[in-house]
Amino acid sequence: MTMAATLTRGGRSWTPDYLVAIDPELCIGCGRCFKVCGRDVMTLQGLTEDGDIVPLDDDDDEIEKRVMAVHDPDACIGCGACARVCPTSCQTHAAA
Ligand code: SF4
Ligand code: SF4
């Protein structure tokens, strides 16, 4: 799907920069992106030794660390705020 540039309130051209993925190997689960997002796009999850992303309430001993995961990408408005606060540059964004 190709998404055309949209407009700001003042009618200026604006191309959304949507969050499409977070690299679980690089993410440190700091939660900064979660705090600045007003669209409920991400959720904190667990990364297992095998590289699987699992819910934190799983009580899973194999969880190695907490990572942020994209759980509702369709809710993203592409504001780019999460990318600006990420200290590890582990997010992938795209125009559409
Ligand atoms: S780009 Fe904006 S709306 Fe999308 S996940 Fe990041 S902070 Fe949330
Ligand atoms: S800001 Fe970056 S490192 Fe921190 S939880 Fe979000 S994606 Fe992970």
Side-chain angles (χ1 to χ4, degrees):
M1 181 177 67
T2 304
M3 192 72 72
T6 184
L7 300 177
T8 68
R9 186 184 181 195
R12 295 175 199 157
S13 179
W14 155 252
T15 302
D17 196 21
Y18 300 108
L19 175 65
V20 293
I22 296 173
D23 184 339
E25 295 297 330
L26 295 178
C27 176
I28 58 171
C30 68
R32 291 180 195 176
C33 54
F34 182 86
K35 285 180 190 159
V36 298
C37 180
R39 302 293 300 177
D40 204 17
V41 175
M42 299 162 275
T43 188
L44 205 55
Q45 304 230 273
L47 180 70
T48 69
E49 284 178 1
D50 299 333
D52 295 326
I53 303 282
V54 297
L56 283 175
D57 55 10
D58 249 15
D59 196 26
D60 192 335
D61 290 343
E62 292 180 0
I63 290 177
E64 234 176 20
K65 66 171 185 175
R66 295 174 172 210
V67 293
M68 200 60 69
V70 184
H71 83 104
D72 190 6
D74 289 350
C76 179
I77 59 171
C79 68
C82 53
R84 285 196 290 274
V85 297
C86 180
T88 65
S89 300
C90 60
Q91 303 171 7
T92 302
H93 288 248

